[in-house]
Amino acid sequence: MGAYLFDWLALFFRWFHVIAGIAWIGASFYFVWLDMSLQKPPEWKSKKGISGDLWAVHGGGFYEIAKYKLEPEEMPKTLHWFKWEAYTTWLTGAAMMAIVYYANATAYLIDPSKVDFGSNVGAISTSILFLLISYAIYEIIVRSRIGKNKMVFSICIFVLMVIATYISYQLFSDRASFIHVGAILGTIMAGNVFFGIMPAQRALVDCVRRGVKPGKEVADLALMARNRSVMNNYFTLPLIFTMISNHYPMMYSHAQGWLVLVFVGVITATARHYFNQKHLGHHQPKYLVIPAIATVLLIIWMRPAPIEPLPVPPVQSAVPVEAAPETTPPADGATAAAVPATEGTAEAVAVASSADDAIMGVVQAKCSVCHMAQPTQAGFNAPPAGIIIVTPEDMKTHKAKIITAVQSSYMPLGNITGLTDEERAQLVAYASGL
């Protein structure tokens, strides 16, 4: 019953997390497009303090949108704020981290071959500390003089994320390492809203309400808020990738998984830069061509090694060599007829059957405990992804997924059933021959 209720919790918060994420990132994309698409307004609008405007048509009507340089002539009665999309996304993401990776740390968070934490508490504490330290370093950078220089600031944050990605991959399971990088990105983005963007907006609104001209302090807050907003914009696509990465073990289970994630981050951020430039009226296809070429190179570099066929044990003849009957050579010019040998056929079948039994013994001991209609492995209410693997027919049905998951070490999760490298190779070879 406990695993069943946890599945419902995971479903609810994952669904909520996706909905909130769509709202947040959708609003982010819209306002970036809006901000970069504004045109120089006519003179009569400029005199009112409008710095840019644009016209749009949607839903059967025209929209006139204007942005003020600082403050409007008078405070509007109704002012819409955009913040809860960010906060809700972060809160539901934190809930997902607790439900999936902390409540079942043995399966999803810990990889004993990397770090033996000794207990789930040690692994969870390390995870939380890692996230807090990563975010603290970001805040120190953004609040320093570096945060006022967009180029230097961007380079420093890129270096920080590369280091964090590498460390995460050394500490946690492959799948969890990608999620931790996503958690850092999400925390930075939500923190940018809470600690940077919202304070600047409140300061500006307060000045307008009091009829005071915004001073240098408010201008500095606005500059920092803009830099934080730009950082959020470039983080969106890498963040979305980490959110869906748990479905693709070929990515995070690669021998250099941390480097794969760095490459994906650079590729997606470059693609995002293309659209930013396009919004400004600068059509620069190179920012799409470069990511496309890089993606092809990444695919080639990541390709798996060829699978070696499962060796078949030699079949010993049932007739001793010294007792084998003599054969009469064919007459001159005649062709000997090919006579199929029957000796040892029953033994060959027995050997093949024995090999099948051995492989299925491994499957039932190391795989079926989770992948059966009613899993016996603690923490599982249903077979992962609904895949049942109990018989050779089941293995043939899910052959492609089995090869990828076992070869990449994605399965068993956290290797909780102790699958050895030799057994892993045998399973991959056996499944490949089905």
Side-chain angles (χ1 to χ4, degrees), residues 104-108 110-113 359-372 375-380 384 389 405-406 409-424 427:
N104 204 358
T106 303
Y108 294 104
I110 301 172
D111 183 346
S113 66
I359 288 294
M360 292 313 299
V362 173
V363 170
Q364 291 167 7
K366 306 295 178 70
C367 307
S368 299
V369 291
C370 297
H371 289 280
M372 59 194 311
T376 57
Q377 178 66 41
F380 291 87
I389 307 174
V406 176
S409 298
Y410 170 55
M411 288 291 179
L413 291 170
N415 202 18
I416 54 178
T417 57
L419 189 68
T420 67
D421 291 340
E422 182 181 1
E423 292 170 337
R424 193 178 296 279
L427 281 174

Side-chain angles (χ1 to χ4, degrees), residues 46 71 75 126 166 200 211 216 249 262 269 285 342 360 385 396:
S46 295
E71 73 279 358
M75 176 60 65
T126 302
Y166 177 78
K216 184 178 182 303
V262 170
T342 58
M360 292 313 299
K396 187 173 183 179

